[in-house]
Amino acid sequence: RGLFHEITQMCPASFDKDDHLPTRSRLNVTDDLIVTKLNKPMVNRYTVARSGLQDKLDEAAIAGIKLILLHAPAGFGKTTFLAQWAASQKHCCWYSLDKKDSDVRRFLKYFIAGLDKENVINGEIAFNYLESRISDSYDDCIRVIVNGAAEFKAPITCILDDFHLLEDGPVTQVILELLHYAPENFQLIIAGRSNFQPHIAGMRAEGFCLEITGDDLRFSLDEASLLINAQMPEGVNDVLVQQLLKKTEGWVAGLQLALVSRPKDQSFFEFIQTFSGSIREVAEYLASNIFTELDSESQHFLLSTCILDRFNAEAAMQVSGIRSAQNIITKLEETGLFISQLDTSGNWYRYHQVFREFLLERLQREDTIAQDDLYQRAYAWFLSENLREEAISYALEAGNIVDAISLVEDVFTDVISIGNFLRLERWIRKIPESHRVRHPGLLIYHSFVLTHMGLCHQAQHWLDELLKLIVSAEKDKSLDSQWQEYHIKHQALSLVNAATADKMSLAYQLMPVALPDEPDYAVWAGMIHNASAAVFTAHSEFDKARLEITLSRQHHGRARCKAGLVYTHCIGALNEFEQGRLYHCQREIDQAESLMKDLNVSIHSTIAALIKIPKAAILYAWHQPDDAYNLINRYLPLVEESCLLEVRNLAFVTLAKILQQKGQANAALELLDRGLDVITECSLDRSRVWICYEKIKILLANRKADEAYNQMRSVGIQPSQQPELPTAYDRMQFPQLLVWCLYKVYEEPHIELFTLLECMQQQSHKNGNFRIMLDVMMLNVFLLHRLKKTDEALEILYESISWTEKEDYMSLYFSYPADISSLLEKLLKQEKLTVSKDKFVRRLLTTIETSIQQGVKKDDVIFQSRTYAVNRLQNPSVNNLSKRELTVIDLLSEGLPNKTIALRLGISNNTVRWHISNILSKLNVRNRTQAASVARRLGLGHS
């Protein structure tokens, strides 16, 4: 009170009789100011609440932290987040800065006006001191601000937004002095693109400073999902959200720009594949908000160094020709300009992916910078540092093909040892075909990586080219030791490619391949044994497969091949999983993870993805869907890039089951369609049937019988014709028959199916395919339950529990939860279960009931969307369909993908998409599946 007495003696003001505090000045202190600079920004309806970050700010105020620094590049949501938080604060001053505010007097006028607006201080008094000062000192103004804030007592926050626009100078000193004397109830938040760090080391050390960076502001998966789905009524599943999040690296503006720039007729999945920094909306944003604001030297630096996947000061100086490269890097880092440190020592950096794509696209349009010269400089520097793998990429871009080929041959063994097949494939693909066909070694390397990526047709093409060279050498009688090596490796790769392509009869004929007992062939020997194991597993010769796996492990261990060792454990895990031996499968996974730890294998690598997918499948089987979901969601992008096809299929199927269980049937179906696209391109007919089996199961469970009917036809199964029951387990006929039985059990259940399913159960049991046997048993239980033959259903259910209880195989029963739940309760009442089985059934019942309860709301949503879809399909406009569109509809009803339709009709993929877009519009449906269903109902097409 004494302070205010002194102030009022010098500058009288009116007092309120009740609380003796100064009232607001009658003089409007904002007469010569732009008042909107002091207004908090509006928050739009699509804004996602950042509760975690808001809690950070709330906790900082409670802890008495005076200064909060919030710095990140443009578009990271700094202003929006602060506006959200400020809206919930009782006394919060906002000040949007611009370049003119570098003048300290102007800055203080606005600062004072902001505090006056919130009734924190009497602005007229502070203004009088500011206007009447006779020296460069602002001590009197600071004193009035500090003392007024202290007298106010309630918590006060001042937010300075866009601080990076100010020049470093007197304003900074005033702020530091203000913070030095600020009372405990005063807090300052400084937000901008640059890191405001001068002279705050002491405050940081004393715990009076909190920093929030771009890493903190990046959107999480949940936040991104909320943002995207708020603007897309049809909904987007988390797998696709994760892929877009990875591309934008959580950049908020990037996510928003993606939504704005997506063509309405393009699916979200297709859009994600093409989204980049070169898209017009993104490029315009980055150009106007970031690039054009930089000085010419910084612009040249960015355009020169954007060709580098990573860079340090020396590499940047070599490529850009700018000697002060380190100074520019430091400046870019301080401004947070989409640059990230790659190591703790701060030597290596990279650009944000979207920003780099924008720079590369801009570089393409620049005439002043010779790009070939940039790549040649990069090649020379990385080679001089013995960073050969990176040197290869730059040599190829520079057109230095001869040196690139030599380097590829040098690093091949090292690269495959860590499983980086995608990198090898990209290198070799950039080498002109005219060079490749003259280098047998390159043909071997290319076939090798394509085979391991599941691109079997392409691999076979290059194997055929290699064979031509070998045959030609034999005719010329020039088959020396080098050519003999090529011949042996050709045989080995032919076997592996046949096994990968699911051509098991051919692979069986190619076994065994004789290799020299030399260290150089150890990796190849391990690879052959793995392929042989896959062949034996496919033929249900599981013991022989285990022996091959043991031999493969020995050879890969001898070669110290990390990828080969983990790959072998993965083959072992799949072999055990195929038999339903879940705990044996888990043991293989545990051994692989322990091995990866010993070998320092990165958990972010393709090798890690190989073993994480079987792990997720086991977790799902043990009814841990959330853990399984998180694992697959994390590793699916790596699996799709480059991986064993069986692992890829397992990822798609397991994730689809989880999504279906979560009530996201449409997302599950979209995912399986992606899996089918991959399988179709590789012509893996057996795998295609198994994925169709899972898809048809989801379609039927969601009452989409028409779509299930069409899906059966797409894999050559006619619902009206029963596939022949083979006398022994057949890898192709068995799954086709199982698909047919599944459809009939749902749509046309009859007792004859019981006998057929019983025969299938016996065949799978005889061959040791216990996982498939259990699937058949559950289908039979469901059939008998529908036919009201409860006693027979209970008998088979009891038999299944004899198997599943030992392995904790709970997920088996979740395909038909309501039916199984009632049967399990009846089984308990019979009181013939052992103690362990009784516990298992009770635990299973509890889990199923919980799952059903959690799924009630989701089922309601599905039902509503289903009703909406039906309403949309009532009155399709079909009169304007052209003959070509009718033909496309006919092919769609066969379940054919766009590429196949294009080949059939002799038109491009884009033209097919255009026709489908027109069809969807005319039929008033959302997707091609609905279009095929409507066409069939209305008798459209030619079939």
Side-chain angles (χ1 to χ4, degrees), residues 29 33 37-38 93-97 101 104-118 120-121 123 126-127 130 141-142 145-146 149 156-160 163 171 174-175 178-179 182 186-190:
V29 299
L33 303 179
K37 284 167 63 72
L38 303 177
C93 311
W94 188 283
Y95 180 5
S96 297
L97 299 160
D101 294 318
V104 70
R105 182 177 172 279
R106 174 186 166 94
F107 172 83
L108 280 171
K109 285 184 75 173
Y110 275 103
F111 195 81
I112 291 166
L115 291 168
D116 178 82
K117 183 180 178 183
E118 293 293 325
V120 176
I121 66 171
F127 266 27
L130 184 62
C141 282
I142 292 172
I145 293 170
V146 170
I156 310 152
T157 301
C158 292
I159 298 176
L160 304 179
F163 195 83
V171 170
V174 167
I175 290 173
L178 182 63
L179 286 170
F186 182 87
Q187 186 182 63
L188 183 68
I189 299 179
I190 295 178

Side-chain angles (χ1 to χ4, degrees), residues 375-579:
Y375 285 114
Q376 187 61 34
R377 291 183 194 177
Y379 161 66
W381 188 86
F382 278 92
L383 186 62
S384 69
E385 296 295 315
N386 200 32
L387 300 170
R388 295 180 298 170
E389 292 181 25
E390 288 165 283
I392 292 171
S393 298
Y394 302 122
L396 288 168
E397 293 294 341
N400 195 345
I401 304 302
V402 175
D403 288 351
I405 292 174
S406 177
L407 284 172
V408 168
E409 292 174 336
D410 288 344
V411 304
F412 175 76
T413 302
D414 293 337
V415 175
I416 64 167
S417 175
I418 59 173
N420 204 336
F421 303 126
L422 185 62
R423 171 174 273 197
L424 267 170
E425 199 278 327
R426 284 174 178 167
W427 287 339
I428 298 172
R429 187 166 16 100
K430 287 183 179 180
I431 297 172
E433 186 172 338
S434 57
H435 286 266
R436 271 181 274 171
V437 295
R438 296 200 305 269
H439 287 78
L442 278 181
L443 296 179
I444 288 172
Y445 302 153
H446 205 189
S447 303
F448 186 101
V449 297
L450 289 171
T451 294
H452 284 78
M453 291 171 66
L455 301 173
C456 306
H457 282 320
Q458 296 181 42
Q460 190 59 53
H461 169 74
W462 296 113
L463 283 172
D464 292 343
E465 292 296 321
L466 175 61
L467 185 59
K468 289 177 185 177
L469 293 179
I470 293 170
V471 170
S472 177
E474 286 176 340
K475 288 180 179 178
D476 293 341
K477 298 182 179 180
S478 58
L479 197 62
D480 58 15
S481 59
Q482 184 67 63
W483 283 99
Q484 289 173 359
E485 178 185 335
Y486 295 149
H487 185 71
I488 292 170
K489 290 181 177 179
H490 178 272
Q491 290 179 309
L493 285 171
S494 296
L495 165 61
V496 176
N497 197 53
T500 304
D502 207 29
K503 297 177 181 177
M504 294 305 176
S505 298
L506 174 60
Y508 224 118
Q509 295 172 17
L510 295 171
M511 293 165 50
V513 176
L515 293 177
D517 186 18
E518 298 174 7
D520 289 345
Y521 285 93
V523 170
W524 291 84
M527 180 179 69
I528 288 171
H529 286 299
N530 273 336
S532 301
V535 173
F536 286 130
T537 298
H539 285 87
S540 303
E541 299 180 65
F542 299 114
D543 289 335
K544 289 183 179 180
R546 288 191 191 92
L547 177 60
E548 294 294 327
I549 289 166
T550 300
L551 293 171
S552 175
R553 196 170 291 140
Q554 292 172 359
H555 286 290
H556 281 306
R558 182 182 176 190
R560 296 291 292 174
C561 180
K562 299 177 184 180
L565 285 166
V566 178
Y567 199 93
T568 304
H569 280 294
C570 188
I571 296 290
L574 293 174
N575 182 53
E576 301 297 344
F577 188 78
E578 183 74 14
Q579 300 168 77

Side-chain angles (χ1 to χ4, degrees), residues 483-767:
W483 283 99
Q484 289 173 359
E485 178 185 335
Y486 295 149
H487 185 71
I488 292 170
K489 290 181 177 179
H490 178 272
Q491 290 179 309
L493 285 171
S494 296
L495 165 61
V496 176
N497 197 53
T500 304
D502 207 29
K503 297 177 181 177
M504 294 305 176
S505 298
L506 174 60
Y508 224 118
Q509 295 172 17
L510 295 171
M511 293 165 50
V513 176
L515 293 177
D517 186 18
E518 298 174 7
D520 289 345
Y521 285 93
V523 170
W524 291 84
M527 180 179 69
I528 288 171
H529 286 299
N530 273 336
S532 301
V535 173
F536 286 130
T537 298
H539 285 87
S540 303
E541 299 180 65
F542 299 114
D543 289 335
K544 289 183 179 180
R546 288 191 191 92
L547 177 60
E548 294 294 327
I549 289 166
T550 300
L551 293 171
S552 175
R553 196 170 291 140
Q554 292 172 359
H555 286 290
H556 281 306
R558 182 182 176 190
R560 296 291 292 174
C561 180
K562 299 177 184 180
L565 285 166
V566 178
Y567 199 93
T568 304
H569 280 294
C570 188
I571 296 290
L574 293 174
N575 182 53
E576 301 297 344
F577 188 78
E578 183 74 14
Q579 300 168 77
R581 291 162 39 114
L582 304 186
Y583 281 103
H584 285 77
C585 179
Q586 181 60 40
R587 186 175 64 185
E588 289 282 354
I589 293 166
D590 290 341
Q591 290 174 353
E593 290 185 326
S594 176
L595 182 67
M596 287 193 298
K597 188 175 180 180
D598 293 341
L599 296 175
N600 294 318
V601 174
S602 170
I603 60 171
H604 305 294
S605 65
T606 305
I607 306 178
L610 275 172
I611 204 65
K612 296 298 183 182
I613 299 305
K615 182 175 184 176
I618 292 292
L619 289 171
Y620 174 72
W622 288 337
H623 193 64
Q624 298 176 39
D626 291 338
D627 292 337
Y629 177 86
N630 292 334
L631 263 183
I632 298 178
N633 201 32
R634 179 177 182 180
Y635 287 100
L636 186 57
L638 280 172
V639 169
E640 288 192 276
E641 277 186 357
S642 168
C643 208
L644 184 65
L645 269 175
E646 289 296 326
V647 173
R648 194 182 305 178
N649 295 344
L650 186 59
F652 283 129
V653 168
T654 305
L655 189 53
K657 288 179 179 178
I658 297 170
L659 291 171
Q660 162 70 1
Q661 192 174 313
K662 287 175 175 284
Q664 300 178 33
N666 289 335
L669 293 171
E670 287 175 11
L671 193 70
L672 291 175
D673 281 337
R674 281 166 58 188
L676 286 171
D677 285 342
V678 174
I679 298 301
T680 301
E681 289 177 7
C682 300
S683 298
L684 301 179
D685 293 332
R686 175 176 167 269
S687 296
R688 190 167 175 234
V689 173
W690 278 119
I691 292 183
C692 279
Y693 171 71
E694 297 297 339
K695 184 179 177 183
I696 291 168
K697 191 185 293 185
I698 294 173
L699 289 169
L700 293 172
N702 288 275
R703 305 169 194 170
K704 297 182 179 182
D706 285 348
E707 294 177 40
Y709 179 94
N710 291 330
Q711 194 65 57
M712 290 177 68
R713 290 181 59 196
S714 74
V715 290
I717 304 171
Q718 296 299 328
S720 58
Q721 299 174 8
Q722 177 183 325
E724 185 180 349
L725 175 65
T727 54
Y729 181 86
D730 183 272
R731 300 178 57 255
M732 191 65 193
Q733 289 178 296
F734 193 93
Q736 286 180 324
L737 185 58
L738 188 57
V739 169
W740 186 85
C741 288
L742 174 69
Y743 181 81
K744 289 295 181 181
V745 167
Y746 267 93
E747 296 301 309
E748 303 169 20
H750 52 83
I751 194 60
E752 288 82 3
L753 290 169
F754 171 76
T755 305
L756 182 58
L757 287 168
E758 196 172 39
C759 291
M760 295 173 69
Q761 178 185 329
Q762 292 170 1
Q763 283 190 3
S764 52
H765 177 273
K766 182 179 179 181
N767 284 277

Side-chain angles (χ1 to χ4, degrees), residues 829-846:
K829 291 177 182 177
Q830 291 183 350
E831 297 183 350
K832 66 176 185 178
L833 297 169
T834 62
V835 174
S836 62
K837 289 183 176 64
D838 185 88
K839 286 182 179 179
F840 176 73
V841 170
R842 291 182 187 278
R843 184 158 56 92
L844 184 56
L845 258 175
T846 302

